[in-house]
Amino acid sequence: MRILIVEDEPTLGNQLKSTLEQTGYAVDLSTDGEDGHFLGSTEDYDAVILDLGLPEIDGLTVLGMWRREGRNFPVLVLTARDSWSDKVAGLDAGADDYLAKPFQTEELIARLRALIRRASGNTSSELTAGDVRLDTRSGRVTLAGEPVKLTAQEYKLLSYLMHHKGKVVSRTELIEHIYDQDFDRDSNTIEVFVTRIRKKLGADVITTIRGLGYSLDDPAGPPRT
């Protein structure tokens, strides 16, 4: 999952970026509203963490611009303001959740996971597809109850497909969502990761849809779309 952080406080921004990367997210960091707006308008993100008190363009304005442009990724607003009127203004502008500073990092990560799950139509923190289970809280993957060890990139790819179970996901979409902006992206590595995951979880866990991409289906679920 790929996350955008728009936060002008360098220490907090870098701490959040580092923590989320360690948790398994691909993360881009912007430090002002103008650059943040540009990234959110031109790149694909699974969620955005947005500070309200930004230089150049304030966070509420950035959020309103995204929504008018049709950018519908979930947005978690961060701010030092804790009045009810500021919360209402943020939610009315299109925010999906609100967290006042100071906050516990664990709470932010939990809220972020919940936003991403809801945006992809999942309600549980545990994603399943047949005998494969992925716990988004712990990052643990099991096959028929037995733990399976995945590399960071394998986990990111599997997690994205499981969040979008039953849908065909193109290589381009996978690249945009499992790598951050500065990563040297190579579409050929996607096939390598898919091959590795199949070896660990079973040859049929991910289906290649020729000319379109990949799909992860639940054997008991509806046909892919």
Side-chain angles (χ1 to χ4, degrees):
M1 296 294 170
R2 189 177 176 198
I3 308 299
L4 172 63
I5 300 172
V6 189
E7 168 60 62
D8 66 320
E9 186 180 330
T11 300
L12 177 58
N14 286 313
Q15 285 177 345
L16 288 176
K17 185 175 189 295
S18 176
T19 299
L20 290 175
E21 286 175 340
Q22 291 172 18
T23 307
Y25 294 102
V27 184
D28 295 330
L29 174 62
S30 175
T31 57
D32 67 70
E34 185 174 1
D35 181 63
H37 169 253
F38 175 78
L39 288 175
S41 298
T42 58
E43 300 284 338
D44 287 324
Y45 293 101
D46 296 288
V48 174
I49 299 171
L50 176 68
D51 182 36
L52 291 188
L54 296 170
E56 305 299 335
I57 308 175
D58 69 86
L60 282 179
T61 300
V62 170
L63 179 54
M65 293 165 68
W66 282 336
R67 295 315 193 210
R68 287 192 296 275
E69 293 163 358
R71 308 300 281 176
N72 59 2
F73 40 62
V75 175
L76 173 61
V77 165
L78 294 182
T79 182
R81 311 168 191 172
D82 196 23
S83 72
W84 67 268
S85 59
D86 288 322
K87 293 180 181 180
V88 169
L91 294 170
D92 282 347
D96 298 273
D97 202 355
Y98 195 105
L99 197 55
K101 302 175 184 177
F103 54 84
Q104 295 295 320
T105 304
E106 291 81 2
E107 181 182 1
L108 180 142
I109 293 174
R111 288 176 179 269
L112 192 63
R113 283 197 302 260
L115 287 178
I116 292 171
R117 286 200 311 269
R118 290 199 296 267
S120 58
N122 296 288
T123 57
S124 172
S125 61
E126 186 174 75
L127 308 178
T128 63
D131 291 333
V132 179
R133 294 180 179 271
L134 185 151
D135 190 327
T136 60
R137 295 167 300 181
S138 64
R140 187 169 183 261
V141 176
T142 61
L143 175 64
E146 295 297 319
V148 178
K149 186 174 182 179
L150 300 180
T151 67
Q153 296 296 351
E154 291 166 3
Y155 177 85
K156 289 177 184 178
L157 190 150
L158 178 66
S159 175
Y160 191 82
L161 289 177
M162 291 192 74
H163 274 88
H164 298 83
K165 183 173 64 177
K167 298 179 180 179
V168 178
V169 180
S170 69
R171 281 193 185 189
T172 299
E173 184 176 345
L174 284 170
I175 290 169
E176 290 175 344
H177 287 267
I178 70 172
Y179 296 130
D180 61 43
Q181 185 185 28
D182 298 326
F183 198 91
D184 184 13
R185 304 173 182 181
D186 182 355
S187 64
N188 293 326
T189 61
I190 297 297
E191 183 60 38
V192 173
F193 295 145
V194 169
T195 300
R196 291 178 182 173
I197 291 171
R198 285 171 173 158
K199 288 180 178 178
K200 295 178 180 181
L201 298 178
D204 298 330
V205 67
I206 298 174
T207 302
T208 299
I209 312 299
R210 189 174 298 276
L212 296 176
Y214 303 96
S215 178
L216 188 149
D217 298 316
D218 191 331
R224 67 182 71 95
T225 58

